[in-house]
Amino acid sequence: MKNSLFYSIIDSFGDDNGQGSVELILIIGGIIVIILLVVSMYKSYLVDLGSEIDSNELNALNGSFSDIASRFE
């Protein structure tokens, strides 16, 4: 009885049915971790860039409104 339990445990370690799926999950998980690290490192840069774009667009829009207002005076 003990020998059959021992061999069944050894056989379960030799089973490679899910190895490809596990490797794929680990690769995808690693890629997600790398993406999260890069986004967290560049977060302040991206936020500053977004506010700079917004301020430039608002300045251009305000300039357009000023030009239109000056024509009606």
Side-chain angles (χ1 to χ4, degrees):
M1 180 81 182
K2 289 183 179 181
N3 287 338
S4 63
L5 179 62
F6 177 74
Y7 288 121
S8 65
I9 292 173
I10 297 298
D11 286 341
S12 67
F13 283 118
D15 191 16
D16 293 337
N17 288 335
Q19 182 178 357
S21 299
V22 171
E23 289 175 357
L24 184 62
I25 290 170
L26 289 174
I27 290 172
I28 292 172
I31 291 171
I32 290 172
V33 167
I34 291 171
I35 289 172
L36 290 175
L37 288 173
V38 168
V39 168
S40 69
M41 287 175 17
Y42 288 105
K43 181 180 177 183
S44 62
Y45 172 74
L46 294 173
V47 169
D48 292 341
L49 181 66
S51 64
E52 182 180 334
I53 290 171
D54 288 342
S55 66
N56 287 339
E57 290 176 357
L58 288 176
N59 290 335
L61 186 62
N62 285 336
S64 298
F65 287 146
S66 297
D67 291 340
I68 292 171
S70 67
R71 293 183 185 182
F72 287 107
E73 291 179 354

